[in-house]
């Protein structure tokens, strides 16, 4: 399972860190060993993330430039790299500073750099540019063709929301008590720290950069619930954390519905949540204004921020067609009834459909992915083992004191959100003709194979190739997050050119594919071992202290540095996709954000792009991907 992918910020160009974050790669197993080890007992055994040698990074970086530069560009770039890493050069100075920083950081030399450069300094709106979405599979009991009328909150909706809330509380109990079994890649332990960063986590819009707040153990006894933009603090366990029955949680949700329905429209709160969809500077200023208006606003923001998670009850159903309905999970169509700064907000439509919108900063996708699998697995068995009769506190409306300035900011946020949402072109593929069973039978790595599908599709669609991002997990190391796999290689280019060549026979096409797959797997292994290019270069770049150093660092001044990270294809693997599927936005204006999930007999994709770019079209590219899937199978069958 891999992340919702976002490469790191590299310049003022729109290349953020993320998407759906990255989790474990498809080659990793996160199953616990039979003799279950407590959640965090292995943390002290984990090695620290290595700092690659300058020579290692230089060699791998130059190799990654080969397919995207012409001869003169390559010569210039190689000269800049060699000057940077020469003995006594600037690279050695920056490497020394990075090594010194590693000695002072708690977990990793990369941890603070990555949070700041990858996420918190990014000022574009999080809704499309950072957050990820996932839609759960439907229950057979749903009558999707006869959805309730708009304005109605249905029983099936309340029941599913309460069910998931109870399962989430159970998962949080496991994390708090350290009884969630430790995870392994085969017999090697994986870092479990990110499980501490989901419940009760939130992002705070501030100047000049945001802040992420995580709490462990997360002991709040309440969640927040939104309905028609009204926000409620809703106790879901007793004062001492006592668990209660599903029916008790259902009743709390019904109390919210009753409270909203009984509040005249003119007395309802303004849609404060829409502000979380805004430019981060705009939202930071508005948040400060709110805090300055009244102590009540301090308490209200704290109630939202510190809640375990959020539930959004939508009094409508988006569409029977999942190609349309996932947009409601992605952005709600208008950014209403959402709070995009919560690490997890669960969305329930009145036909029973459900999904999650997640803020990517605190964790990579394998972590919430594990949680989501548990929700679906326990859908019929979500009651706690020993529910108590603890008296739950009453629900409380979260109210704000606002002024004309805030009203105007909300109004403008609605306009900006609509413009941003209308610009997103997102569609899905649920391809049922083959999956990992077939690919393994012909001795192809499923993940590397799909990466080559994307390379072939892009080549067919545009007549060229492009720098491509795939995320690899570095959870083998303490505090490990992700590293970039640069999927576009000399061998992937040879494959896409040869595959459609009139002179290449089936045997030659198979040879080219296997060579490209092998090269991809070698890069994936290096990246997972902390030996990729992108994070090390980011770390070195972050160590520069003066304008003179920045000017003399020709490796970063050369156009090839940005060019090699301008990922028109940004991808992540969230296999197997049996319980849910998801996606994220593109990371450059001319690019595609592609999430995929490889099941045993199917492959799912989400494809996003921006309508303002005349060169991209998600639905047309979808057809090209499906053509590549079918044609490549013929070569292997």
């Amino acid at each position: 399972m891999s992340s919702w992918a976002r490469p790191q910020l590299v310049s003022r160009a729109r290349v953020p860190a993320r998407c759906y974050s990255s989790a474990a790669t498809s080659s990793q197993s996160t199953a616990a060993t039979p003799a279950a080890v407590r959640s965090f007992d292995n943390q002290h055994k984990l090695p620290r993330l290595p700092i690659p040698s300058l020579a290692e990074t230089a060699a791998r970086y130059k190799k990654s430039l080969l397919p995207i530069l012409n001869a003169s560009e390559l010569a210039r770039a190689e000269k800049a790299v060699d000057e940077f890493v020469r003995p006594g050069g600037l690279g050695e100075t920056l490497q020394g500073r990075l090594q010194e920083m590693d000695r002072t950081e708690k977990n990793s030399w990369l941890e603070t750099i990555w949070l700041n450069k990858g996420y918190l300094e990014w000022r574009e709106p999080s809704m499309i540019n950072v957050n990820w979405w996932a839609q759960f599979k439907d229950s057979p009991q749903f009558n999707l063709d006869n959805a309730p009328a708009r304005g109605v909150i249905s029983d099936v909706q309340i029941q599913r929301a309460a069910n998931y809330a109870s399962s989430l509380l159970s998962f949080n109990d496991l994390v708090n008590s350290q009884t969630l079994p430790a995870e392994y890649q085969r017999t090697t332990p994986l870092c479990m720290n990110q499980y501490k960063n989901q419940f009760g986590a939130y992002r705070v819009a501030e100047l000049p950069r945001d802040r992420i707040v995580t709490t462990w153990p997360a002991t709040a006894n309440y969640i927040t619930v939104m309905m028609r933009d009204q926000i409620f603090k809703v106790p879901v366990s007793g004062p001492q954390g006592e668990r209660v029955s599903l029916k008790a949680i259902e009743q709390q949700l019904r109390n919210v519905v009753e409270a909203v329905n009984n509040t005249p429209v003119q007395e309802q709160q303004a849609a404060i949540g829409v502000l979380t969809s805004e430019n981060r500077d705009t939202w930071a200023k508005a948040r400060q204004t709110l805090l300055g208006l009244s102590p009540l606003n301090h308490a209200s923001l704290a109630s939202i921020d510190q809640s375990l998670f959020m539930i959004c009850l939508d009094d409508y159903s988006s569409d029977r067609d999942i190609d349309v309905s996932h947009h409601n999970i992605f952005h709600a169509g208008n950014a209403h009834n959402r709070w995009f700064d919560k690490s997890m907000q669960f969305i329930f439509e009145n036909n029973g459909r459900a999904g999650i919108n997640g803020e990517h900063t605190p964790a990579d996708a394998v972590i919430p992915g594990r949680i989501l699998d548990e929700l679906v697995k326990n859908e019929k068995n979500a009651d706690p083992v020993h529910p108590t009769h603890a008296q739950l506190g009453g629900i409380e409306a979260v109210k704000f004191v606002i002024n004309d300035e805030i009203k105007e900011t909300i109004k403008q946020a609605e306009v900006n959100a609509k413009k941003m949402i209308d610009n997103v072109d997102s569609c899905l593929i649920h391809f049922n003709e083959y999956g990992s069973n077939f690919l393994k039978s012909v001795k192809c790595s499923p993940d590397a194979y799909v990466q080559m599908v994307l390379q072939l599709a892009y080549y067919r669609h545009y007549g060229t190739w492009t720098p491509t991002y795939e995320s690899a997990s570095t959870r083998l190391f303490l505090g490990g997050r992700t590293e970039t796999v640069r999927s576009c290689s000399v061998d992937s280019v040879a494959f896409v050119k040869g595959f459609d060549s009139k002179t290449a026979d089936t045997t030659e096409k198979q040879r080219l594919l296997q060579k490209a797959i092998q090269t991809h797997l070698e890069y994936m292994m290096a990246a997972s071992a902390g030996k990729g290019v992108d994070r090390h270069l980011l770390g070195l770049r972050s160590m520069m202290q003066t304008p003179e150093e920045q000017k003399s660092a020709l490796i970063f001044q050369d156009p090839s540095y940005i060019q090699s990270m301008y990922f028109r294809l940004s991808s992540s693997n969230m296999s197997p996709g049996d319980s849910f599927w998801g996606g994220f936005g593109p990371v450059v204006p001319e690019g595609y954000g592609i999430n995929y999930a490889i099941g045993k007999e199917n492959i799912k994709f989400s494809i996003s792009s921006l309508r303002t770019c005349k060169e991209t079209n998600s639905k047309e590219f979808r057809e090209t991907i499906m053509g590549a899937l079918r044609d490549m199978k013929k070569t292997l069958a």
Side-chain angles (χ1 to χ4, degrees), residues 416-470:
N416 294 341
K418 189 69 167 63
K419 183 178 179 181
M420 185 167 32
I421 288 165
D422 289 346
N423 192 29
V424 175
D425 181 13
S426 179
C427 65
L428 307 181
I429 300 173
H430 282 196
F431 183 81
N432 297 314
E433 296 175 25
Y434 64 94
S436 63
N437 281 348
F438 167 74
L439 294 172
K440 290 176 182 177
S441 75
V442 294
K443 300 194 167 37
C444 275
S445 157
D447 177 74
Y449 176 88
V450 171
Q451 285 292 318
M452 294 310 115
V453 167
L454 296 178
Q455 294 298 306
L456 179 60
Y458 195 91
Y459 179 68
R460 284 179 166 182
H461 209 78
Y462 293 101
T464 188
W465 44 92
T466 189
T468 304
Y469 173 97
E470 183 188 5

Side-chain angles (χ1 to χ4, degrees), residues 218-321:
T219 57
N221 70 341
Y222 72 94
I223 63 175
T224 38
V225 177
M226 292 187 78
M227 177 185 162
R228 297 179 198 148
D229 293 310
Q230 308 305 293
I231 307 172
F232 287 80
K233 181 177 179 179
V234 179
V236 287
S237 58
Q240 305 304 317
E242 305 96 325
R243 295 294 305 282
V244 297
S245 68
L246 268 177
K247 291 296 182 186
I249 296 176
E250 278 184 31
Q251 186 56 53
Q252 291 288 77
L253 296 180
R254 294 184 193 281
N255 291 342
V256 169
V257 175
E258 182 180 9
V260 175
N261 285 337
N262 289 340
T263 303
V265 174
Q266 63 271 20
E267 295 179 17
Q268 292 185 2
Q269 288 284 295
I272 299 291
V274 176
L275 294 173
T276 66
S277 73
E278 255 290 9
N279 174 281
R280 301 307 295 178
D281 286 349
T282 302
W283 171 214
K285 293 170 186 173
R287 186 179 170 108
Q288 281 305 116
T289 299
L290 283 170
L291 291 172
L293 286 175
S294 169
L296 176 65
N297 293 346
H298 280 264
S300 294
L301 287 170
S303 291
I304 297 167
D305 290 341
Q306 295 166 20
S307 63
L308 290 176
F309 52 87
M310 178 169 277
I311 283 179
C312 305
L313 297 176
D314 291 343
D315 63 351
Y316 57 84
S317 297
S318 52
D319 199 279
R320 179 70 174 83
D321 182 358

